[in-house]
Short mmCIF file of all heavy atoms in Angstrom, two decimals:
data_model
loop_
_atom_site.label_atom_id
_atom_site.label_comp_id
_atom_site.label_asym_id
_atom_site.label_seq_id
_atom_site.Cartn_x
_atom_site.Cartn_y
_atom_site.Cartn_z
N MET N 1 0.84 -1.20 0.00
CA MET N 1 0.00 0.00 0.00
C MET N 1 0.87 1.25 0.00
O MET N 1 2.02 1.20 0.42
CB MET N 1 -0.94 0.00 1.21
CG MET N 1 -0.23 0.15 2.55
SD MET N 1 -1.32 -0.09 3.97
CE MET N 1 -2.24 1.46 3.98
N ARG N 2 0.28 2.35 -0.49
CA ARG N 2 1.03 3.60 -0.50
C ARG N 2 0.60 4.46 0.67
O ARG N 2 -0.58 4.58 0.98
CB ARG N 2 0.78 4.36 -1.81
CG ARG N 2 1.49 3.68 -2.96
CD ARG N 2 1.57 4.57 -4.17
NE ARG N 2 0.49 5.53 -4.30
CZ ARG N 2 0.60 6.65 -5.01
NH1 ARG N 2 1.72 6.93 -5.62
NH2 ARG N 2 -0.41 7.48 -5.09
N VAL N 3 1.58 5.04 1.33
CA VAL N 3 1.29 5.87 2.49
C VAL N 3 2.03 7.19 2.34
O VAL N 3 3.07 7.27 1.71
CB VAL N 3 1.73 5.18 3.80
CG1 VAL N 3 0.81 4.02 4.12
CG2 VAL N 3 3.16 4.73 3.73
N LYS N 4 1.44 8.22 2.92
CA LYS N 4 2.05 9.55 2.84
C LYS N 4 2.47 9.98 4.23
O LYS N 4 1.68 9.96 5.17
CB LYS N 4 1.05 10.54 2.25
CG LYS N 4 1.65 11.87 1.92
CD LYS N 4 0.66 12.64 1.07
CE LYS N 4 0.57 14.06 1.58
NZ LYS N 4 -0.44 14.83 0.87
N CYS N 5 3.72 10.40 4.33
CA CYS N 5 4.23 10.89 5.60
C CYS N 5 3.53 12.20 5.96
O CYS N 5 3.43 13.10 5.13
CB CYS N 5 5.74 11.10 5.50
SG CYS N 5 6.43 11.90 6.96
N VAL N 6 3.02 12.30 7.19
CA VAL N 6 2.28 13.50 7.58
C VAL N 6 3.19 14.70 7.76
O VAL N 6 2.74 15.83 7.78
CB VAL N 6 1.50 13.30 8.90
CG1 VAL N 6 0.30 12.39 8.66
CG2 VAL N 6 2.38 12.76 9.99
N ILE N 7 4.47 14.47 7.89
CA ILE N 7 5.39 15.56 8.17
C ILE N 7 6.02 16.11 6.90
O ILE N 7 5.98 17.30 6.63
CB ILE N 7 6.45 15.12 9.19
CG1 ILE N 7 5.76 14.81 10.51
CG2 ILE N 7 7.53 16.21 9.35
CD1 ILE N 7 6.66 14.32 11.60
N CYS N 8 6.59 15.25 6.08
CA CYS N 8 7.30 15.75 4.91
C CYS N 8 6.59 15.43 3.60
O CYS N 8 7.08 15.74 2.53
CB CYS N 8 8.74 15.22 4.89
SG CYS N 8 8.83 13.44 4.68
N ASP N 9 5.41 14.82 3.68
CA ASP N 9 4.59 14.49 2.50
C ASP N 9 5.24 13.52 1.53
O ASP N 9 4.83 13.41 0.39
CB ASP N 9 4.21 15.77 1.74
CG ASP N 9 3.12 16.54 2.47
OD1 ASP N 9 2.56 16.01 3.43
OD2 ASP N 9 2.84 17.68 2.07
N THR N 10 6.25 12.83 1.99
CA THR N 10 6.86 11.82 1.14
C THR N 10 5.92 10.63 0.98
O THR N 10 5.33 10.18 1.95
CB THR N 10 8.17 11.31 1.79
OG1 THR N 10 9.02 12.43 2.03
CG2 THR N 10 8.89 10.32 0.89
N ILE N 11 5.77 10.19 -0.24
CA ILE N 11 4.97 8.99 -0.48
C ILE N 11 5.88 7.77 -0.40
O ILE N 11 6.91 7.71 -1.06
CB ILE N 11 4.31 9.04 -1.87
CG1 ILE N 11 3.48 10.30 -2.04
CG2 ILE N 11 3.49 7.78 -2.10
CD1 ILE N 11 2.14 10.29 -1.35
N LYS N 12 5.48 6.86 0.44
CA LYS N 12 6.27 5.64 0.58
C LYS N 12 5.40 4.45 0.25
O LYS N 12 4.19 4.46 0.46
CB LYS N 12 6.78 5.49 2.02
CG LYS N 12 7.75 6.56 2.44
CD LYS N 12 9.17 6.07 2.25
CE LYS N 12 10.15 7.13 2.74
NZ LYS N 12 11.52 6.80 2.44
N LYS N 13 6.05 3.44 -0.24
CA LYS N 13 5.33 2.19 -0.46
C LYS N 13 5.71 1.25 0.67
O LYS N 13 6.89 1.02 0.93
CB LYS N 13 5.77 1.58 -1.80
CG LYS N 13 4.68 1.63 -2.85
CD LYS N 13 5.08 0.85 -4.07
CE LYS N 13 3.87 0.16 -4.66
NZ LYS N 13 4.17 -0.47 -5.95
N ILE N 14 4.72 0.74 1.37
CA ILE N 14 5.04 -0.22 2.40
C ILE N 14 4.35 -1.54 2.10
O ILE N 14 3.31 -1.58 1.44
CB ILE N 14 4.67 0.28 3.83
CG1 ILE N 14 3.17 0.58 3.95
CG2 ILE N 14 5.49 1.51 4.20
CD1 ILE N 14 2.75 0.88 5.39
N ASP N 15 4.94 -2.57 2.57
CA ASP N 15 4.42 -3.92 2.37
C ASP N 15 3.02 -4.05 2.97
O ASP N 15 2.79 -3.67 4.10
CB ASP N 15 5.39 -4.90 3.05
CG ASP N 15 5.14 -6.33 2.59
OD1 ASP N 15 3.96 -6.67 2.35
OD2 ASP N 15 6.11 -7.08 2.48
N ASN N 16 2.10 -4.56 2.19
CA ASN N 16 0.72 -4.75 2.67
C ASN N 16 0.64 -5.60 3.92
O ASN N 16 -0.29 -5.48 4.70
CB ASN N 16 -0.12 -5.41 1.58
CG ASN N 16 -0.61 -4.41 0.56
OD1 ASN N 16 -0.80 -3.25 0.88
ND2 ASN N 16 -0.79 -4.86 -0.66
N ASP N 17 1.58 -6.47 4.09
CA ASP N 17 1.51 -7.42 5.20
C ASP N 17 2.37 -7.02 6.40
O ASP N 17 2.42 -7.74 7.38
CB ASP N 17 1.93 -8.82 4.73
CG ASP N 17 0.94 -9.36 3.72
OD1 ASP N 17 -0.27 -9.14 3.91
OD2 ASP N 17 1.38 -9.99 2.74
N CYS N 18 3.04 -5.90 6.30
CA CYS N 18 3.87 -5.50 7.43
C CYS N 18 2.97 -4.99 8.57
O CYS N 18 1.85 -4.54 8.32
CB CYS N 18 4.91 -4.46 7.02
SG CYS N 18 4.25 -2.81 6.84
N PRO N 19 3.43 -5.08 9.80
CA PRO N 19 2.61 -4.67 10.96
C PRO N 19 2.07 -3.25 10.85
O PRO N 19 0.95 -2.97 11.25
CB PRO N 19 3.57 -4.80 12.15
CG PRO N 19 4.60 -5.77 11.70
CD PRO N 19 4.74 -5.57 10.21
N LYS N 20 2.88 -2.36 10.28
CA LYS N 20 2.46 -0.97 10.15
C LYS N 20 1.26 -0.83 9.20
O LYS N 20 0.33 -0.10 9.48
CB LYS N 20 3.64 -0.13 9.63
CG LYS N 20 3.60 1.30 10.10
CD LYS N 20 4.96 1.94 9.99
CE LYS N 20 5.07 3.11 10.94
NZ LYS N 20 6.42 3.65 11.02
N ALA N 21 1.31 -1.56 8.11
CA ALA N 21 0.21 -1.52 7.15
C ALA N 21 -1.07 -2.06 7.78
O ALA N 21 -2.15 -1.52 7.59
CB ALA N 21 0.56 -2.33 5.90
N LYS N 22 -0.94 -3.12 8.52
CA LYS N 22 -2.10 -3.71 9.19
C LYS N 22 -2.70 -2.73 10.19
O LYS N 22 -3.91 -2.58 10.30
CB LYS N 22 -1.70 -5.00 9.91
CG LYS N 22 -1.57 -6.16 8.94
CD LYS N 22 -1.15 -7.43 9.64
CE LYS N 22 -0.96 -8.55 8.61
NZ LYS N 22 -0.19 -9.66 9.17
N LYS N 23 -1.83 -2.05 10.94
CA LYS N 23 -2.29 -1.06 11.91
C LYS N 23 -3.02 0.08 11.22
O LYS N 23 -4.07 0.53 11.67
CB LYS N 23 -1.11 -0.48 12.69
CG LYS N 23 -0.74 -1.30 13.92
CD LYS N 23 0.24 -0.52 14.75
CE LYS N 23 0.69 -1.31 15.97
NZ LYS N 23 1.64 -0.53 16.76
N LEU N 24 -2.45 0.54 10.10
CA LEU N 24 -3.08 1.64 9.37
C LEU N 24 -4.45 1.22 8.86
O LEU N 24 -5.40 1.99 8.91
CB LEU N 24 -2.18 2.07 8.19
CG LEU N 24 -1.00 2.96 8.55
CD1 LEU N 24 0.00 2.99 7.40
CD2 LEU N 24 -1.46 4.38 8.85
N ARG N 25 -4.53 0.01 8.35
CA ARG N 25 -5.81 -0.47 7.84
C ARG N 25 -6.83 -0.64 8.96
O ARG N 25 -8.02 -0.41 8.79
CB ARG N 25 -5.63 -1.79 7.09
CG ARG N 25 -5.32 -1.59 5.62
CD ARG N 25 -5.70 -2.82 4.82
NE ARG N 25 -5.03 -4.00 5.35
CZ ARG N 25 -3.82 -4.40 4.96
NH1 ARG N 25 -3.17 -3.72 4.05
NH2 ARG N 25 -3.26 -5.46 5.47
N ASN N 26 -6.36 -1.04 10.10
CA ASN N 26 -7.26 -1.22 11.26
C ASN N 26 -7.49 0.09 12.01
O ASN N 26 -8.14 0.10 13.05
CB ASN N 26 -6.67 -2.25 12.24
CG ASN N 26 -6.69 -3.64 11.64
OD1 ASN N 26 -7.52 -3.95 10.80
ND2 ASN N 26 -5.75 -4.47 12.05
N ARG N 27 -6.92 1.17 11.50
CA ARG N 27 -7.07 2.50 12.10
C ARG N 27 -6.54 2.57 13.53
O ARG N 27 -7.00 3.37 14.33
CB ARG N 27 -8.53 2.96 12.08
CG ARG N 27 -8.99 3.21 10.67
CD ARG N 27 -10.48 3.43 10.65
NE ARG N 27 -10.92 3.83 9.31
CZ ARG N 27 -11.10 5.09 8.94
NH1 ARG N 27 -10.87 6.07 9.78
NH2 ARG N 27 -11.49 5.36 7.74
N LEU N 28 -5.61 1.71 13.83
CA LEU N 28 -4.96 1.82 15.13
C LEU N 28 -4.01 3.00 15.12
O LEU N 28 -3.77 3.63 16.12
CB LEU N 28 -4.19 0.54 15.46
CG LEU N 28 -5.09 -0.66 15.83
CD1 LEU N 28 -4.24 -1.89 16.02
CD2 LEU N 28 -5.89 -0.39 17.09
N ILE N 29 -3.46 3.28 13.95
CA ILE N 29 -2.72 4.52 13.79
C ILE N 29 -3.33 5.28 12.63
O ILE N 29 -3.67 4.70 11.60
CB ILE N 29 -1.20 4.31 13.58
CG1 ILE N 29 -0.91 3.25 12.51
CG2 ILE N 29 -0.53 3.92 14.88
CD1 ILE N 29 0.56 3.11 12.21
N HIS N 30 -3.50 6.58 12.80
CA HIS N 30 -4.17 7.38 11.78
C HIS N 30 -3.19 8.10 10.90
O HIS N 30 -3.55 8.68 9.91
CB HIS N 30 -5.10 8.40 12.45
CG HIS N 30 -6.17 7.76 13.26
ND1 HIS N 30 -7.40 7.45 12.75
CD2 HIS N 30 -6.17 7.33 14.53
CE1 HIS N 30 -8.12 6.86 13.69
NE2 HIS N 30 -7.39 6.77 14.79
N THR N 31 -1.96 8.12 11.32
CA THR N 31 -0.97 8.85 10.56
C THR N 31 0.25 8.00 10.31
O THR N 31 0.59 7.13 11.11
CB THR N 31 -0.52 10.11 11.32
OG1 THR N 31 -0.05 9.72 12.60
CG2 THR N 31 -1.67 11.10 11.47
N TYR N 32 0.86 8.26 9.19
CA TYR N 32 2.09 7.56 8.88
C TYR N 32 3.25 8.55 8.90
O TYR N 32 3.13 9.66 8.41
CB TYR N 32 2.01 6.93 7.49
CG TYR N 32 3.33 6.36 7.04
CD1 TYR N 32 3.76 5.13 7.52
CD2 TYR N 32 4.15 7.07 6.18
CE1 TYR N 32 4.98 4.61 7.14
CE2 TYR N 32 5.37 6.56 5.79
CZ TYR N 32 5.78 5.33 6.27
OH TYR N 32 6.99 4.83 5.89
N MET N 33 4.34 8.13 9.49
CA MET N 33 5.57 8.91 9.42
C MET N 33 6.65 8.06 8.79
O MET N 33 6.82 6.90 9.17
CB MET N 33 6.02 9.33 10.82
CG MET N 33 5.44 10.65 11.25
SD MET N 33 6.21 11.23 12.77
CE MET N 33 5.61 10.04 13.93
N CYS N 34 7.36 8.66 7.84
CA CYS N 34 8.44 7.93 7.19
C CYS N 34 9.55 7.70 8.22
O CYS N 34 9.64 8.41 9.22
CB CYS N 34 8.95 8.69 5.97
SG CYS N 34 9.82 10.21 6.36
N PRO N 35 10.39 6.70 7.99
CA PRO N 35 11.45 6.39 8.95
C PRO N 35 12.33 7.59 9.27
O PRO N 35 12.77 7.75 10.42
CB PRO N 35 12.27 5.31 8.23
CG PRO N 35 11.30 4.67 7.29
CD PRO N 35 10.36 5.76 6.85
N GLU N 36 12.58 8.47 8.28
CA GLU N 36 13.42 9.64 8.51
C GLU N 36 12.78 10.58 9.53
O GLU N 36 13.43 11.05 10.45
CB GLU N 36 13.66 10.39 7.19
CG GLU N 36 14.60 9.69 6.23
CD GLU N 36 13.88 8.65 5.36
OE1 GLU N 36 12.65 8.47 5.52
OE2 GLU N 36 14.55 8.01 4.55
N CYS N 37 11.50 10.86 9.36
CA CYS N 37 10.81 11.76 10.29
C CYS N 37 10.63 11.08 11.64
O CYS N 37 10.73 11.72 12.68
CB CYS N 37 9.46 12.18 9.72
SG CYS N 37 9.62 13.31 8.33
N ASP N 38 10.32 9.81 11.60
CA ASP N 38 10.17 9.04 12.82
C ASP N 38 11.41 9.19 13.68
O ASP N 38 11.35 9.45 14.88
CB ASP N 38 9.96 7.58 12.43
CG ASP N 38 9.03 6.87 13.39
OD1 ASP N 38 8.37 7.56 14.19
OD2 ASP N 38 8.96 5.65 13.33
N GLN N 39 12.55 9.04 13.03
CA GLN N 39 13.84 9.14 13.70
C GLN N 39 14.05 10.54 14.26
O GLN N 39 14.49 10.72 15.39
CB GLN N 39 14.94 8.81 12.68
CG GLN N 39 16.37 9.01 13.17
CD GLN N 39 16.81 7.83 14.03
OE1 GLN N 39 16.38 6.70 13.82
NE2 GLN N 39 17.65 8.10 15.01
N ARG N 40 13.68 11.55 13.46
CA ARG N 40 13.86 12.94 13.88
C ARG N 40 12.98 13.25 15.10
O ARG N 40 13.42 13.89 16.05
CB ARG N 40 13.51 13.87 12.72
CG ARG N 40 14.12 15.24 12.85
CD ARG N 40 14.19 15.94 11.52
NE ARG N 40 12.89 15.95 10.88
CZ ARG N 40 12.67 15.77 9.59
NH1 ARG N 40 13.69 15.55 8.80
NH2 ARG N 40 11.48 15.80 9.07
N ILE N 41 11.75 12.80 15.06
CA ILE N 41 10.83 13.01 16.17
C ILE N 41 11.37 12.34 17.43
O ILE N 41 11.34 12.91 18.52
CB ILE N 41 9.43 12.44 15.84
CG1 ILE N 41 8.82 13.17 14.65
CG2 ILE N 41 8.52 12.50 17.06
CD1 ILE N 41 8.34 14.57 14.95
N GLU N 42 11.86 11.15 17.24
CA GLU N 42 12.40 10.39 18.36
C GLU N 42 13.54 11.17 19.02
O GLU N 42 13.59 11.30 20.24
CB GLU N 42 12.91 9.03 17.82
CG GLU N 42 13.14 8.00 18.90
CD GLU N 42 11.82 7.50 19.49
OE1 GLU N 42 10.82 7.45 18.77
OE2 GLU N 42 11.82 7.21 20.69
N GLU N 43 14.43 11.71 18.18
CA GLU N 43 15.56 12.49 18.71
C GLU N 43 15.08 13.74 19.42
O GLU N 43 15.56 14.10 20.47
CB GLU N 43 16.51 12.86 17.56
CG GLU N 43 17.41 11.70 17.17
CD GLU N 43 18.10 11.95 15.84
OE1 GLU N 43 18.07 13.10 15.34
OE2 GLU N 43 18.68 10.98 15.31
N ASN N 44 14.10 14.43 18.82
CA ASN N 44 13.55 15.64 19.45
C ASN N 44 12.88 15.32 20.77
O ASN N 44 12.96 16.08 21.72
CB ASN N 44 12.52 16.30 18.51
CG ASN N 44 13.19 17.00 17.35
OD1 ASN N 44 14.38 17.26 17.38
ND2 ASN N 44 12.43 17.28 16.31
N THR N 45 12.20 14.20 20.81
CA THR N 45 11.52 13.78 22.03
C THR N 45 12.53 13.55 23.14
O THR N 45 12.34 13.99 24.28
CB THR N 45 10.71 12.49 21.77
OG1 THR N 45 9.80 12.73 20.71
CG2 THR N 45 9.91 12.09 23.01
N ILE N 46 13.61 12.90 22.80
CA ILE N 46 14.66 12.64 23.78
C ILE N 46 15.28 13.96 24.25
O ILE N 46 15.51 14.16 25.43
CB ILE N 46 15.73 11.70 23.17
CG1 ILE N 46 15.14 10.30 22.98
CG2 ILE N 46 16.96 11.63 24.08
CD1 ILE N 46 15.95 9.41 22.07
N LYS N 47 15.48 14.87 23.31
CA LYS N 47 16.05 16.18 23.65
C LYS N 47 15.13 16.94 24.60
O LYS N 47 15.57 17.51 25.58
CB LYS N 47 16.26 17.01 22.36
CG LYS N 47 17.70 17.02 21.89
CD LYS N 47 17.83 17.95 20.69
CE LYS N 47 18.35 17.18 19.49
NZ LYS N 47 18.13 17.90 18.23
N ARG N 48 13.83 16.94 24.28
CA ARG N 48 12.86 17.63 25.14
C ARG N 48 12.83 16.99 26.52
O ARG N 48 12.73 17.67 27.52
CB ARG N 48 11.46 17.54 24.51
CG ARG N 48 11.11 18.74 23.67
CD ARG N 48 9.61 18.91 23.60
NE ARG N 48 8.97 17.74 23.03
CZ ARG N 48 8.80 17.52 21.73
NH1 ARG N 48 9.24 18.42 20.88
NH2 ARG N 48 8.20 16.45 21.30
N HIS N 49 12.92 15.70 26.52
CA HIS N 49 12.92 14.95 27.77
C HIS N 49 14.06 15.45 28.66
O HIS N 49 13.91 15.67 29.85
CB HIS N 49 13.09 13.46 27.46
CG HIS N 49 12.48 12.57 28.50
ND1 HIS N 49 12.25 12.97 29.79
CD2 HIS N 49 12.02 11.30 28.42
CE1 HIS N 49 11.69 11.97 30.45
NE2 HIS N 49 11.54 10.95 29.65
N LYS N 50 15.21 15.63 28.02
CA LYS N 50 16.40 16.05 28.75
C LYS N 50 16.29 17.47 29.25
O LYS N 50 16.81 17.81 30.30
CB LYS N 50 17.64 15.90 27.86
CG LYS N 50 18.14 14.47 27.79
CD LYS N 50 19.32 14.35 26.86
CE LYS N 50 19.78 12.89 26.76
NZ LYS N 50 20.67 12.70 25.62
N THR N 51 15.59 18.35 28.50
CA THR N 51 15.50 19.75 28.92
C THR N 51 14.35 19.97 29.90
O THR N 51 14.16 21.06 30.39
CB THR N 51 15.29 20.69 27.70
OG1 THR N 51 14.11 20.29 27.02
CG2 THR N 51 16.47 20.66 26.77
N GLY N 52 13.55 18.95 30.13
CA GLY N 52 12.47 19.07 31.12
C GLY N 52 11.18 19.60 30.54
O GLY N 52 10.20 19.76 31.25
N ASN N 53 11.17 19.92 29.25
CA ASN N 53 9.94 20.39 28.61
C ASN N 53 9.23 19.26 27.88
O ASN N 53 8.56 19.46 26.88
CB ASN N 53 10.25 21.51 27.62
CG ASN N 53 10.55 22.80 28.32
OD1 ASN N 53 9.95 23.08 29.36
ND2 ASN N 53 11.48 23.56 27.79
N PHE N 54 9.36 18.12 28.40
CA PHE N 54 8.86 16.95 27.70
C PHE N 54 7.34 16.93 27.64
O PHE N 54 6.64 17.06 28.62
CB PHE N 54 9.37 15.70 28.41
CG PHE N 54 8.94 14.43 27.74
CD1 PHE N 54 9.46 14.08 26.52
CD2 PHE N 54 8.01 13.61 28.36
CE1 PHE N 54 9.07 12.91 25.90
CE2 PHE N 54 7.62 12.43 27.74
CZ PHE N 54 8.14 12.08 26.51
N LYS N 55 6.85 16.77 26.40
CA LYS N 55 5.43 16.49 26.23
C LYS N 55 5.34 15.13 25.58
O LYS N 55 6.02 14.87 24.60
CB LYS N 55 4.78 17.53 25.31
CG LYS N 55 4.51 18.83 26.02
CD LYS N 55 3.80 19.78 25.07
CE LYS N 55 3.77 21.17 25.65
NZ LYS N 55 3.48 22.17 24.62
N LEU N 56 4.50 14.31 26.08
CA LEU N 56 4.42 12.95 25.56
C LEU N 56 3.86 12.98 24.14
O LEU N 56 2.69 13.21 23.92
CB LEU N 56 3.55 12.08 26.47
CG LEU N 56 3.59 10.60 26.17
CD1 LEU N 56 5.02 10.06 26.26
CD2 LEU N 56 2.69 9.84 27.13
N TYR N 57 4.75 12.76 23.20
CA TYR N 57 4.38 12.90 21.80
C TYR N 57 3.33 11.88 21.37
O TYR N 57 2.46 12.17 20.60
CB TYR N 57 5.63 12.78 20.93
CG TYR N 57 5.32 12.92 19.48
CD1 TYR N 57 5.08 14.19 18.94
CD2 TYR N 57 5.19 11.82 18.65
CE1 TYR N 57 4.74 14.34 17.62
CE2 TYR N 57 4.85 11.95 17.33
CZ TYR N 57 4.64 13.22 16.81
OH TYR N 57 4.29 13.37 15.50
N ARG N 58 3.44 10.67 21.88
CA ARG N 58 2.58 9.60 21.39
C ARG N 58 1.27 9.48 22.17
O ARG N 58 0.57 8.51 22.05
CB ARG N 58 3.33 8.27 21.43
CG ARG N 58 4.52 8.27 20.51
CD ARG N 58 5.21 6.94 20.45
NE ARG N 58 6.44 7.02 19.67
CZ ARG N 58 6.47 6.96 18.34
NH1 ARG N 58 5.39 6.81 17.67
NH2 ARG N 58 7.64 7.05 17.71
N LYS N 59 0.97 10.50 22.96
CA LYS N 59 -0.21 10.42 23.80
C LYS N 59 -1.49 10.19 22.99
O LYS N 59 -2.29 9.34 23.30
CB LYS N 59 -0.35 11.70 24.62
CG LYS N 59 -1.28 11.52 25.80
CD LYS N 59 -1.30 12.78 26.64
CE LYS N 59 -2.28 12.61 27.78
NZ LYS N 59 -2.64 13.87 28.39
N LYS N 60 -1.65 10.97 21.92
CA LYS N 60 -2.86 10.86 21.11
C LYS N 60 -2.99 9.46 20.52
O LYS N 60 -4.06 8.87 20.53
CB LYS N 60 -2.82 11.89 19.99
CG LYS N 60 -4.16 12.05 19.32
CD LYS N 60 -4.12 13.15 18.27
CE LYS N 60 -5.50 13.35 17.66
NZ LYS N 60 -6.04 12.14 17.06
N GLU N 61 -1.89 8.97 20.03
CA GLU N 61 -1.90 7.66 19.41
C GLU N 61 -2.33 6.59 20.43
O GLU N 61 -3.12 5.72 20.12
CB GLU N 61 -0.49 7.36 18.88
CG GLU N 61 -0.40 6.10 18.04
CD GLU N 61 1.00 5.90 17.52
OE1 GLU N 61 1.55 6.86 16.94
OE2 GLU N 61 1.56 4.82 17.71
N VAL N 62 -1.80 6.70 21.63
CA VAL N 62 -2.14 5.74 22.66
C VAL N 62 -3.62 5.82 23.00
O VAL N 62 -4.29 4.81 23.12
CB VAL N 62 -1.28 5.99 23.93
CG1 VAL N 62 -1.78 5.15 25.10
CG2 VAL N 62 0.17 5.66 23.63
N GLN N 63 -4.13 7.04 23.13
CA GLN N 63 -5.56 7.20 23.43
C GLN N 63 -6.42 6.60 22.34
O GLN N 63 -7.40 5.94 22.61
CB GLN N 63 -5.89 8.68 23.57
CG GLN N 63 -5.46 9.24 24.92
CD GLN N 63 -5.68 10.74 25.00
OE1 GLN N 63 -5.79 11.42 24.00
NE2 GLN N 63 -5.73 11.25 26.21
N ASP N 64 -6.02 6.82 21.08
CA ASP N 64 -6.78 6.26 19.97
C ASP N 64 -6.83 4.75 20.04
O ASP N 64 -7.84 4.13 19.75
CB ASP N 64 -6.17 6.69 18.64
CG ASP N 64 -6.49 8.15 18.33
OD1 ASP N 64 -7.37 8.69 18.99
OD2 ASP N 64 -5.87 8.70 17.42
N GLN N 65 -5.73 4.18 20.43
CA GLN N 65 -5.70 2.72 20.53
C GLN N 65 -6.69 2.23 21.57
O GLN N 65 -7.35 1.23 21.39
CB GLN N 65 -4.28 2.24 20.89
CG GLN N 65 -3.36 2.27 19.67
CD GLN N 65 -1.96 1.83 20.02
OE1 GLN N 65 -1.67 1.47 21.15
NE2 GLN N 65 -1.08 1.87 19.04
N TYR N 66 -6.80 2.95 22.65
CA TYR N 66 -7.70 2.53 23.70
C TYR N 66 -9.16 2.73 23.29
O TYR N 66 -10.04 1.98 23.68
CB TYR N 66 -7.44 3.32 24.99
CG TYR N 66 -6.16 2.90 25.68
CD1 TYR N 66 -5.37 3.85 26.32
CD2 TYR N 66 -5.74 1.59 25.66
CE1 TYR N 66 -4.19 3.47 26.94
CE2 TYR N 66 -4.56 1.21 26.27
CZ TYR N 66 -3.77 2.15 26.91
OH TYR N 66 -2.62 1.79 27.51
N LEU N 67 -9.39 3.77 22.49
CA LEU N 67 -10.77 4.05 22.08
C LEU N 67 -11.28 3.06 21.04
O LEU N 67 -12.46 2.78 20.98
CB LEU N 67 -10.86 5.47 21.51
CG LEU N 67 -10.79 6.61 22.53
CD1 LEU N 67 -10.72 7.93 21.82
CD2 LEU N 67 -12.00 6.58 23.45
N SER N 68 -10.40 2.56 20.22
CA SER N 68 -10.87 1.72 19.12
C SER N 68 -11.03 0.27 19.54
O SER N 68 -10.67 -0.11 20.62
CB SER N 68 -9.92 1.82 17.93
OG SER N 68 -8.61 1.54 18.34
ZN1 LIG E 101 8.69 12.18 6.56
#
């Protein structure tokens, strides 16, 4: 399936049978981030964590999982 990164709008092709594709189809995750952005977010999250201004980035995603 084709997915679009919500951050940089890159279109990626991911395997239909990979866990991420299954999650997207099941609406467990509503957004796709390419590995590059994923990595960048991860680094920023760690940086924020260290500076004490940490906001839990994945909070929305977690809540969605519980709601569905
Ligand atoms: Zn991206």
